[in-house]
Amino acid sequence: MSKPGYPTDLHTHSVRSDGVLEPAALVRLAAERGVQTIALSDHDTLAGATEAVGEGQRSGVRVIPAVELNTESRWGDVHVLGYFLDPADALLEERLRWLRENRGRRIELMVEKLNRLGYAVSLQRVIEIAKGGALGRPHLAQALAEAGHVRSYDDAFDTLISKDAPAYVERVGLTPSEAVRLVVAHGGAASLAHPGTVNGLPELLPQLVDDGLVAMEVYYPEHTAARTAELRALAERFRLIPTGGSDFHGRGEHGGPLGCAYVPSDTVGALEKACARIAEGKVGT
Ligand code: AMP
Ligand code: ZN
Ligand code: FE
Ligand code: FE
């Protein structure tokens, strides 16, 4: 049995996006590690939610259906987590499908760029690696490592596909405000993921709070103690619910182990209360 984790983890990925584990396997790992509540927050999809909730009922893990919406703008990488979304919400699914199509097109463009640069990699292989999940750069990184063009997954990002690297292609998608509003419009609680990747956080936060942001991921494996303290103070100032998550992908290279981030004990209850206020139309503009 692996080392026990904190009892709650509000940021995890499965193979329905760029994680490695099947949703049910992720939930079983949570049970094994003593993590009693997880949010399955795949990128731009709720496709794993029903399977994860079902496995959660069998193995005694509460699963919160969620998504992570990645945006890129002058604010840097702003990733918005949406909690308590409904996998049967057809209008939401329509928007998520559009985002996934954009992901696919972006990866296709990056593959074309890589091929032009002399790094032979096939879109077909990237799609195979993704196993039907929402396509992302991690799948491309794996294909590049496999083909021997880079030494490792991390090396693929560092030398070829991170922002400002030669094969990078901009994302087409939502603005940070649109991401928050999409979550709120579908009755979810919106939280700002790993705020360390945001430029100009104190300027952006009031805008996102206006849009209906209710929480912020204060506790995250890559935050230093000083950063965490700073973020805790910002959360307090903007009356945001402090949350935490591992960003577990199952690849050692990104995020932390499942259950590795502290989450205050009243966080999930506070998010549920926020959803009740959203349902009454009392959050956002
Ligand atoms: P995408 O949404 O396709 O742009 O891919 C973003 C995902 O790539 C993130 O959610 C991480 O899982 C991963 N990622 C982003 N930057 C890095 C990096 N520098 N090294 C390793 N993984 C990364
Ligand atoms: Zn990811
Ligand atoms: Fe993220
Ligand atoms: Fe994530």
Side-chain angles (χ1 to χ4, degrees):
M1 187 188 248
S2 50
K3 186 167 143 271
Y6 284 107
T8 304
D9 190 335
L10 296 178
H11 190 162
T12 73
H13 296 275
S14 78
V15 72
R16 295 296 173 268
S17 65
D18 56 11
V20 167
L21 297 181
E22 290 291 332
L26 176 72
V27 172
R28 285 194 294 271
L29 179 64
E32 193 188 305
R33 292 179 60 86
V35 185
Q36 295 153 19
T37 302
I38 67 165
L40 175 61
S41 53
D42 273 318
H43 300 284
D44 301 336
T45 183
L46 286 157
T50 304
E51 176 186 328
V53 169
E55 180 57 40
Q57 282 160 356
R58 285 186 289 277
S59 34
V61 175
R62 180 176 182 194
V63 177
I64 299 169
V67 293
E68 182 176 14
L69 306 172
N70 292 10
T71 77
E72 277 162 19
S73 61
R74 68 189 177 89
W75 306 102
D77 274 302
V78 178
H79 295 184
V80 173
L81 291 159
Y83 295 112
F84 295 107
L85 292 167
D86 178 2
D89 180 337
L91 287 178
L92 174 59
E93 173 52 22
E94 207 173 287
R95 297 295 285 150
L96 296 177
R97 189 183 319 121
W98 175 72
L99 289 169
R100 293 196 300 272
E101 284 164 5
N102 291 348
R103 282 183 163 272
R105 182 69 193 138
R106 178 182 184 222
I107 294 300
E108 200 179 320
L109 291 172
M110 289 179 80
V111 164
E112 286 168 13
K113 218 165 167 178
L114 284 161
N115 288 336
R116 278 200 302 276
L117 289 166
Y119 301 94
V121 57
S122 85
L123 180 63
Q124 201 42 48
R125 182 58 196 142
V126 180
I127 291 170
E128 270 168 35
I129 289 169
K131 296 184 178 153
L135 279 178
R137 282 181 295 161
H139 305 122
L140 185 54
Q142 194 175 322
L144 284 164
E146 215 179 71
H149 294 310
V150 289
R151 283 190 311 273
S152 66
Y153 168 93
D154 274 347
D155 197 30
F157 271 92
D158 293 345
T159 61
L160 291 170
I161 61 171
S162 65
K163 199 168 171 66
D164 305 322
Y168 183 78
V169 173
E170 292 269 319
R171 184 191 309 278
V172 173
L174 304 171
T175 65
S177 282
E178 285 168 345
V180 170
R181 284 166 184 260
L182 179 63
V183 169
V184 177
H186 292 273
S191 177
L192 179 62
H194 45 69
T197 61
V198 177
N199 307 323
L201 188 60
E203 290 76 50
L204 178 63
L205 273 182
Q207 187 181 314
L208 296 187
V209 168
D210 267 358
D211 295 320
L213 189 79
V214 294
M216 181 159 81
E217 196 170 58
V218 168
Y219 304 96
Y220 187 75
E222 284 162 29
H223 293 165
T224 61
R227 188 77 185 128
T228 303
E230 232 174 77
L231 290 169
R232 203 165 37 221
L234 265 182
E236 213 164 292
R237 187 165 123 212
F238 289 98
R239 297 168 186 246
L240 293 168
I241 302 159
T243 76
S246 65
D247 209 358
F248 177 76
H249 281 74
R251 282 187 186 82
E253 299 88 338
H254 189 69
L258 196 60
C260 72
Y262 167 75
V263 181
S265 62
D266 51 354
T267 295
V268 173
L271 290 171
E272 284 177 301
K273 280 193 195 128
C275 284
R277 288 206 315 278
I278 288 160
E280 291 167 15
K282 289 184 184 157
V283 172
T285 48

